[in-house]
Amino acid sequence: MPNKLHSETSPYLRQHQFNPVEWYPWGDEALQKAKTENKLIIVSIGYSACHWCHVMERESFEDEAIAALMNEHFVSIKVDREERPDIDQIYMVAVQLMTGQGGWPLNCICLPDGRPIYGGTYFQPEQWTQFLKQLVAMWNENPALANDYAERLTTGIQQSEQLPFVPIPESYTKEDLAAIVTPWKERFDKQEGGYNRAPKFPLPNNWLFLLRYGVLMDDPSVVDHAHFTLRKIASGGIYDHVGGGFARYSVDARWHIPHFEKMLYDNAQLVSLYAEAWQQQPVALYKRVVSETLQWVQREMTSPEGGFYCALDADSEGVEGKFYTFQQHEIEAVLGEDAELFIRYFGATKEGNWEEEHTNVLKIDIEADGMAQEAGFSVHEWETVLADAKRKLRDYRSKRVRPGLDDKLLTAWNAMMLKGFVDAYRVFDIPAYLDVALANAAFIKTHLYAEDGGLWRQPPTNGKAIAGFLDDYAFTIEAYIALYEATFDEHWLQEAKRLVAYVLDHFYDEETSVFYYTSAHADPLVARKTETMDNVISSSTSTISRQLRWLGLAFDEPHYTTITAQQLAKVVPHTAPYGSAYANWATQLLDEVSGNLEVVLTGPGWRALRCELDRHYVPNKMILGGTKGSLPLLAGRIGDVTRAYVCRNKTCSLPVAQADELVQLITSR
C-alpha cells in the first residue's frame, strides 16, 4: 500500500510513495501527529535529480527493518527542496551549524514542535540505524538535553544571514570594488579555469560579475580568466556535447566528469552568461552552446503549455551517467567514416576516460575547433558537419532508457529561463527565441498568478497550492524587465511594478529594512528567514534589490532606489573576504561605481538602433523607448522621427539619429 505521499504532485515525493517508511508530506497532519504522540520528527529533504537521495532511499528507506524503526519512534516527513525551499533553508542552516557542511539528502531530527536537534546529509544504513537509536534514547532518557539543543539551534537559525543596519554612504569607489576582487583573484585556477578546488560548480553570477568588472574597470587579467573559465566549462564533460545543456557540477578539477543531473536554473543562467560573453568576445563555442542548450530546452524541457520543467535525473537504470556516456565502438558504428575525426574531437579512447571500463565522458580541447582547418573544412562547413555528427549520436542515444524527468513547473526557474531566451534573442537576433520567451510569459500569467495578485510557487494541482517565495517574485520581475528591454512593450514594466508593490506589502519590513524569503501571510515555521548570500543561484534579496534599482531609475521612484541603496549598504562591509558568495551584490556595487547609461531609443526605427547597440558590449546600460510610453525619460522624446539619447545622472545628450552616432555617444560617456 502507498504511504501518505501517493497524492502528491512532486515527482520526488511520489518516488517514495511505496517505501515501507510511513512518509508524510509537510503539513498539519504530520505535525499534529508528532505533538499528539510526543514523537521526534524526521525531516528528510531532497529532490528528484539527486543521486545520493536515490542511494539512501535504496539502502535505508526501502529496508524493512530500518523502516520499522522509523515508523515506531518517529513521524517521518519527506520534503522536495525545490517545492518548499523555505523548509529546506531552515533545516539546511541547522545542519550547517551542527556539522559545518550541508547538502542533499538532508536529514534533520526535530522535536515534536519542529525545532531541530540534530542532523546530517547522506547516512549509510548502519550509520542511520545507530543515529536514530541514539536519538530515541536521548529523547526518552534526557528530553531536557534535546530541548537545550533545540533552543540553541533555533536561535542560530533565526540569526543567520541577518545583517546590522548600516548608513548609506555618500558614494562608492573603485577601491571598494578592488577590495573584493583582489582576494578573489587569489583563488583563480590558472591551469583549469574557475577556482582552485574540486568539485567545480559553474557559478554563473560569479563570472558575469567578473567579466563586467574586468571590462568596466579595465582589468584585462580578470577578463581573460573569465573567458578562459567559460571556454573550459563549455569544453568539459560538464557540458553535454551531444544533446546540449550543462550538468550541475563536475566532480573533478578539470570540468570533465559531471554529476550528471541537469537543472533548469543552471542552464538558464549559463545561457544568459554565454550570450553576454559572446557579445564581449564572439567565440564560436559560446554561440554553439547557447544554441544547443536552448534546443535541448525546447526539445526536452518544455511543457505543452509553454512552461519549463525542472530537471533531468543523474541516473538511468540505476546507474549514474549511463544515458550520456559512450564506448568507442558505439561512436565508430554511428559515425562510420567520420568516426576517427570525432573520436579525436571528443577525446574518446578504447580504454575509456572514466572510472567505468571502456566508457567515455565526451569532452573537447578548448582549441578543438582547430581540427576543422586540419580536415579542410571552412568555419561554416565545420559547424554543419559537427552538428550532423552530434545529431546522429543524439538519435542513437535517444534509444536508451532516459533519465527521469522532474516535471515541476517552478515560477522562479521558469522566469530565469525566460530571461535566458530573451538575452539570446537580443545578442544573436533570432526571433524564435523571443517567441519562446513570450509563450513562457503567457504561461506564467495564465498558470502562476494567484487570485490575490501574487504568484504561486508552481501551478496549483490536486487542491494543493504553494504561495510564491521571494525568489519567485524577484526573478519574474527581472524577466519582465528583460522582456520590456527587448520589445519596449510597457505592459511588462507595469506588471513588474505591480509585483514589486506586492513584494513590498508582503515580504518587506520597512522598520528593519529586511526582505524576508516568505510572505507575512505564510504558515509560520520555526524561523522566518532572510536570504542574503548568493549561491549557485543569486539570492532572492540581491535579485529583488537589483530590480528595484532598475525600476527606480526607469520610473524615477526614489522610494525604490532608497530601499535598494540600504540593502547594498548592509552587505558591502561583508563582501571582501569572500566575494564569490556576494557576486550579485558585487554587480550592483559595480553599477553604483560605474554608473548606469540610460539609453532612450524612440521613433519608428528604434528596433534597428537597438539591434546595432546590442552588437556592442555595454554591460552598464539600460534601454527604454519605443513609439509610445509613459516613462519619465520618454516624456517629450517620442515622435515620428527616430531619435536616440544617452542619459546619465538625470542629464541627457542631444538626440542623434544614426547608429554610429549612438555608439560614439556611449563610448564617449
Side-chain angles (χ1 to χ4, degrees):
M1 294 291 293
N3 53 43
K4 297 282 188 175
L5 302 181
H6 72 279
S7 60
E8 293 298 303
T9 58
S10 158
Y12 175 67
L13 298 185
R14 290 201 307 270
Q15 286 169 7
H16 293 79
Q17 66 179 305
F18 293 109
N19 293 169
V21 176
E22 295 172 1
W23 291 116
Y24 285 79
W26 182 275
D28 290 340
E29 182 180 7
L31 299 174
Q32 189 56 52
K33 178 181 173 66
K35 290 177 182 176
T36 301
E37 299 180 9
N38 196 35
K39 284 185 176 180
L40 296 175
I41 299 171
I42 297 172
V43 180
S44 182
I45 304 173
Y47 56 102
S48 73
C50 168
H51 171 71
W52 289 103
C53 298
H54 302 329
V55 173
M56 190 163 178
E57 180 190 13
R58 289 195 301 268
E59 292 179 341
S60 295
F61 301 148
E62 293 180 353
D63 182 279
E64 296 284 351
I66 293 177
L69 173 64
M70 294 171 66
N71 296 339
E72 181 180 356
H73 296 288
F74 299 88
V75 174
S76 299
I77 299 176
K78 258 291 168 197
V79 176
D80 182 334
R81 66 168 293 260
E82 298 162 353
E83 191 175 67
R84 293 299 304 265
D86 55 332
I87 298 170
D88 178 61
Q89 282 182 352
I90 285 173
Y91 295 112
M92 178 64 75
V93 171
V95 169
Q96 288 172 333
L97 289 171
M98 287 182 276
T99 68
Q101 59 186 9
W104 300 277
L106 185 72
N107 293 287
C108 203
I109 311 302
C110 309
L111 296 185
D113 61 9
R115 290 181 298 160
I117 57 172
Y118 206 72
T121 53
Y122 166 75
F123 291 84
Q124 294 177 345
E126 299 79 11
Q127 293 174 315
W128 183 240
T129 300
Q130 191 63 30
F131 175 68
L132 295 182
K133 288 179 177 179
Q134 290 172 348
L135 286 164
V136 169
M138 179 179 70
W139 180 236
N140 290 333
E141 297 166 12
N142 195 353
L145 180 61
N147 275 285
D148 181 56
Y149 284 165
E151 187 172 339
R152 285 186 286 160
L153 265 178
T154 302
T155 299
I157 294 167
Q158 292 167 341
Q159 294 175 348
S160 69
E161 294 196 55
Q162 288 192 1
L163 302 178
F165 181 86
V166 174
I168 300 170
E170 288 188 17
S171 64
Y172 295 100
T173 66
K174 293 181 179 180
E175 287 70 30
D176 293 318
L177 286 166
I180 299 170
V181 175
T182 299
W184 203 336
K185 289 181 183 180
E186 295 174 2
R187 299 172 52 228
F188 287 176
D189 182 343
K190 301 297 181 60
Q191 300 300 314
E192 300 294 343
Y195 304 122
N196 285 306
R197 57 159 294 174
K200 281 190 170 176
F201 289 79
L203 299 174
N205 53 29
N206 281 221
W207 305 108
L208 182 72
F209 164 71
L210 289 166
L211 180 62
R212 292 184 178 186
Y213 170 86
V215 170
L216 293 173
M217 296 295 109
D218 193 24
D219 190 334
S221 68
V222 173
V223 175
D224 290 346
H225 190 71
H227 280 291
F228 179 58
T229 297
L230 294 185
R231 292 172 73 194
K232 280 285 191 178
I233 294 171
S235 301
I238 189 174
Y239 179 69
D240 180 1
H241 294 276
V242 169
F246 294 84
R248 186 163 164 254
Y249 63 90
S250 68
V251 299
D252 62 298
R254 299 183 298 118
W255 306 104
H256 180 204
I257 305 301
H259 190 35
F260 288 89
E261 62 202 42
K262 285 186 184 179
M263 313 302 296
L264 185 69
Y265 62 78
D266 285 319
N267 285 281
Q269 296 175 96
L270 286 164
V271 163
S272 294
L273 174 60
Y274 276 97
E276 182 164 324
W278 187 90
Q279 196 178 43
Q280 200 275 324
Q281 194 175 112
V283 177
L285 179 62
Y286 298 172
K287 186 175 183 179
R288 188 185 305 145
V289 299
V290 168
S291 174
E292 292 173 351
T293 299
L294 293 181
Q295 288 176 44
W296 164 69
V297 171
Q298 291 176 272
R299 186 176 64 245
E300 301 183 34
M301 303 299 289
T302 304
S303 76
E305 303 83 12
F308 301 125
Y309 299 130
C310 266
L312 287 178
D313 206 328
D315 300 3
S316 55
E317 301 182 74
V319 179
E320 185 180 9
K322 185 171 184 178
F323 180 78
Y324 297 102
T325 55
F326 288 85
Q327 296 189 357
Q328 181 174 308
H329 70 83
E330 293 178 292
I331 301 174
E332 292 168 343
V334 172
L335 298 184
E337 62 183 17
D338 292 330
E340 182 182 351
L341 173 63
F342 286 104
I343 285 168
R344 284 197 297 126
Y345 181 79
F346 289 124
T349 66
K350 186 175 181 179
E351 297 76 19
N353 61 21
W354 191 30
E355 60 187 22
E356 298 290 328
E357 190 176 8
H358 305 304
T359 302
N360 294 278
V361 175
L362 303 188
K363 62 179 178 60
I364 64 173
D365 185 82
I366 62 172
E367 305 295 345
D369 287 328
M371 290 184 185
Q373 293 178 327
E374 294 177 25
F377 295 111
S378 68
V379 172
H380 178 72
E381 289 170 337
W382 176 245
E383 290 296 333
T384 302
V385 169
L386 180 59
D388 186 58
K390 290 183 175 185
R391 178 189 57 78
K392 290 176 180 176
L393 290 170
R394 187 171 65 249
D395 289 346
Y396 169 81
R397 191 177 76 176
S398 68
K399 297 178 177 64
R400 299 172 177 172
V401 176
R402 300 183 61 79
L405 170 69
D406 188 326
D407 60 0
K408 292 195 307 295
L409 300 160
L410 300 180
T411 303
W413 298 10
N414 269 257
M416 284 184 233
M417 185 53 79
L418 190 165
K419 182 176 182 293
F421 273 96
V422 173
D423 292 342
Y425 160 69
R426 286 186 56 187
V427 170
F428 300 113
D429 195 23
I430 298 176
Y433 292 162
L434 180 60
D435 293 340
V436 175
L438 289 169
N440 184 251
F443 166 80
I444 290 174
K445 292 180 68 178
T446 302
H447 297 279
L448 295 168
Y449 275 26
E451 293 81 0
D452 69 346
L455 295 170
W456 297 118
R457 176 64 173 175
Q458 59 189 18
T461 309
N462 294 345
K464 181 176 181 178
I466 301 172
F469 303 107
L470 182 59
D471 57 345
D472 295 307
Y473 291 87
F475 288 110
T476 300
I477 291 165
E478 182 178 44
Y480 285 171
I481 291 172
L483 272 176
Y484 169 76
E485 289 197 289
T487 64
F488 287 163
D489 181 348
E490 214 166 280
H491 163 76
W492 300 113
L493 283 193
Q494 296 300 335
E495 280 297 287
K497 194 175 183 185
R498 184 186 67 78
L499 290 175
V500 162
Y502 190 97
V503 167
L504 295 180
D505 283 345
H506 294 81
F507 293 83
Y508 182 63
D509 186 322
E510 189 85 42
E511 185 176 336
T512 59
S513 187
V514 166
F515 282 98
Y516 288 101
Y517 187 71
T518 54
S519 166
H521 301 297
D523 291 336
L525 301 172
V526 298
R528 192 178 180 203
K529 286 282 289 109
T530 59
E531 186 184 59
T532 303
M533 296 176 70
D534 299 317
N535 205 299
V536 293
I537 299 175
S538 297
S539 73
S540 53
T541 306
S542 69
T543 303
I544 195 66
S545 182
R546 288 190 61 204
Q547 307 327 304
L548 276 169
R549 187 179 186 278
W550 196 104
L551 293 168
L553 293 172
F555 284 102
D556 194 19
E557 285 275 4
H559 183 50
Y560 291 179
T561 52
T562 299
I563 290 173
T564 189
Q566 183 60 70
Q567 300 305 307
L568 185 64
K570 290 193 296 182
V571 171
V572 166
H574 303 272
T575 56
Y578 193 41
S580 175
Y582 297 94
N584 203 37
W585 292 108
T587 300
Q588 183 177 331
L589 177 61
L590 178 63
D591 288 341
E592 291 287 345
V593 173
S594 61
N596 279 96
L597 297 178
E598 297 161 87
V599 182
V600 178
L601 309 175
T602 63
W606 69 263
R607 191 181 305 274
L609 285 177
R610 199 219 65 220
C611 288
E612 179 59 31
L613 180 59
D614 283 339
R615 288 163 54 92
H616 300 268
Y617 188 60
V618 188
N620 58 330
K621 72 178 183 298
M622 52 188 292
I623 61 170
L624 313 96
T627 56
K628 58 182 179 180
S630 60
L631 296 171
L633 273 173
L634 303 185
R637 294 192 169 93
I638 293 178
D640 297 331
V641 180
T642 301
R643 291 286 184 262
Y645 306 80
V646 178
C647 309
R648 189 168 186 167
N649 297 328
K650 301 185 183 298
T651 302
C652 295
S653 68
L654 292 172
V656 297
Q658 302 301 318
D660 57 344
E661 296 174 304
L662 172 61
V663 172
Q664 186 175 1
L665 261 182
I666 288 173
T667 54
S668 65
R669 294 175 82 85

